[in-house]
Amino acid sequence: MAALPSLRRLLGHRRLLSAAAATPESVIYSIHSLSSDPSRALASFRRSAAAGQPVGSTAYNLMLRTLASDPSSAQTHFWPFLREMHDAGHSVDQGTYLAALASFKKASLSADYAALTAHYNKSREEAKSGATSAAAEAVRDLDAADLDTKLGAIGLLPLTETAVAKVLRELRDYPTKGLAFFRWAGRQQGYRHGTVAYNAMAKVLGREESVPEFWDLIHEMKAAGMHVDIDTYVKLSRNFQKRHMIREAVELYEFMMDGPFKPSQKDGPHIIRRIALAPSPDLDLAKRVVAKFLAVWDKMTKELFDGIHRVLTSNGRFDEAAELVQKMRAQGHQPDNVTYSQLVYGLCKADRLDDARKVFDEMEAEGCVPDLKTWTMLIQGHCAAGDVDRALHYLTEMIDNNLDADADLLDVMVKGLCSHEKVNAAYTLFVEMVDKAQLRPWQGTYKRVIDELLRIKKLDEALALLRSMKVRKFPPFTEPFPPYIAKHGTVEDARDFLKALTVNTMCPAPAAYVHVLKSFFAEKRYSEAQDLLYKCPIHIRKHPHVTELFESIKAESAS
């Protein structure tokens, strides 16, 4: 009998979906639900189209993204569907295009990658000369004050939901004007907004400056019996989280969980993880997500427990976190490295470094061996607390335990050492890890160490890292070198820098020489610039930009 409420909720959910079976939202929801199985998703799409159900641009794009996730079937499914989509008058949106490109690139399908790029660019060029772009451009060019009165004078394309949605997509960076266009279109005789247009408008309004208008529109949709479709929800939620609009993400999650097109089980834990990333995570927001999750799914998952645990430990509420772990155990979820890593992070954040280290003993007693993530949390906590010597000790201990550092941990150590004026130690550690242990670092770590070395006037070491970047095929980080050399260095230093950029026997691009010469001029070291010019290859001395640069100095001197 305990399972009866959950069963009733599930049956009620299915009845709602059945009642909405002939709407664009239900078609999109069906495709989204089957996105992990492209063949079944395509079969569902075909059934919907054959039954005369509304299949619009969003459904086509979602289906195309789903097919792109299985690049091995590109020739049999993706390209035929794209041609069908084009014939139906629907274009590939940017999100679908980028997702498909990434899938083709990962699968090394260079021909498909190039063909899709050509198709997308061609369709964009065609769209620029079309009525949709003309209408959007006209709306953008109007003043906000008299936008509404002037829209009637625009020679718009035949007013349909598809046309309105296309114009709104073009106005995604202009929420005020987009809304004015939406309201104007809604007042035109013979036209009425439906769910497609409303969802398109919601995507435009989902940003900081138009939050009140966004929620007014959402409630207006609800009152009219329309729903936010699942594709719109996913894009809005992702956008809110990216813009750190976490409260809006939570409120949208609650709204969707109360409707027929509910987010997947993974959404709740994901939002809580985003909440936990804040410096002082909002526990009330996290609890609201849990409440909605339980109301629908009637269970706590390990991911949900971990999310709440991280919020508690990050806020220093360790007693409540310990109680939560006991509840986890009672429901059959054993603490693992994720759980312990979060506890270590919280203890370090609360400056309880000794307690954080004791967690390792507790882990081993529980039969859970600390992994790289747990060690990284411990080391990062000590770096943040200023105890970099102890952090180095733990790094050595970790390596002694047969765990190899990764780029993330190296970056943590470099940041910690540099922030406490131990640049030489950071450089030594970096070289040890990269050159001797063959670790591939992040490009940002390279940049940080180079910047710090130049700050303490260690040019030779910085140039060594620049050469190391070239060997490992990173884009060279050249920006800080010319200003530094022009201010503190010599002509030979400049030549060493340019040699570091030489690939085989190919000299650096003329722009690199011009940058160095201009930097010498900026420091008014004209004689050094002249000496460097004499030692440059002949094609650089005769390059128009170099000639122009020195002519400008001559003209300035003469005046």
Side-chain angles (χ1 to χ4, degrees), residues 306-350:
D306 281 334
I308 293 295
H309 184 259
R310 180 164 184 172
V311 173
L312 290 171
T313 54
S314 188
N315 278 314
R317 301 171 75 153
F318 300 108
D319 291 340
E320 292 174 64
E323 292 175 6
L324 186 72
V325 170
Q326 294 306 313
K327 291 180 182 177
M328 284 175 59
R329 293 180 192 276
Q331 294 191 27
H333 304 296
Q334 290 303 313
D336 56 14
N337 274 292
V338 172
T339 315
Y340 285 113
S341 294
Q342 292 170 175
L343 180 56
V344 168
Y345 173 80
L347 289 167
C348 288
K349 184 178 177 182

Side-chain angles (χ1 to χ4, degrees), residues 225-241:
M226 288 179 275
H227 303 281
V228 175
D229 69 52
I230 195 67
D231 187 68
T232 299
Y233 163 75
V234 169
K235 289 176 179 175
L236 283 170
S237 184
R238 186 186 302 136
N239 190 46
F240 286 153
Q241 292 173 52

Side-chain angles (χ1 to χ4, degrees), residues 391-460:
L392 277 170
H393 171 78
Y394 287 140
L395 176 62
T396 304
E397 184 181 342
M398 185 200 82
I399 294 172
D400 289 342
N401 285 329
N402 298 317
L403 279 174
D404 294 327
D406 63 358
D408 184 21
L409 181 51
L410 178 59
D411 193 64
V412 165
M413 280 302 319
V414 164
K415 285 179 182 176
L417 291 166
C418 289
S419 64
H420 291 88
E421 296 301 325
K422 297 195 175 188
V423 180
N424 289 329
Y427 172 71
T428 301
L429 177 66
F430 187 90
V431 172
E432 286 279 337
M433 291 290 188
V434 174
D435 291 345
K436 296 183 180 179
Q438 299 301 307
L439 185 153
R440 183 172 176 82
W442 290 345
Q443 185 179 6
T445 313
Y446 263 117
K447 291 181 177 181
R448 182 181 299 276
V449 183
I450 287 173
D451 274 333
E452 291 294 330
L453 286 169
L454 292 178
R455 183 177 64 82
I456 64 170
K457 298 183 173 56
K458 294 274 187 176
L459 177 61
D460 290 343

Side-chain angles (χ1 to χ4, degrees), residues 9-10 37 47 59 71 78 83 177 191 207 298 349 399 407 418 505 525 536 549 552:
R9 275 191 291 271
L10 180 60
D37 189 341
R47 285 195 299 271
F78 179 87
R83 287 190 288 273
K177 292 186 177 184
Y191 171 77
R207 50 203 303 153
D298 200 26
K349 184 178 177 182
I399 294 172
C418 289
T505 58
R525 297 179 68 181
C536 287
L549 183 63
S552 68

Side-chain angles (χ1 to χ4, degrees), residues 478-488 494 497 511-526 528-529 532 549:
T478 60
E479 287 81 357
F481 285 96
Y484 173 86
I485 292 170
K487 189 167 187 175
H488 303 290
F497 165 66
Y513 289 91
V514 172
H515 191 185
V516 176
L517 292 168
K518 279 186 175 180
S519 297
F520 273 124
F521 286 169
E523 294 293 332
K524 302 193 182 304
R525 297 179 68 181
Y526 303 120
E528 284 85 352
L532 178 61
L549 183 63

Side-chain angles (χ1 to χ4, degrees), residues 36 113 123 133 154 185 195 199 201 217 269 336 350 459 465 469 498:
S36 60
Y113 187 101
S123 63
S133 284
I154 299 172
T195 183
N199 274 276
M201 189 68 250
L217 184 85
D336 56 14
L459 177 61
L465 291 190
M469 291 186 82
L498 292 167

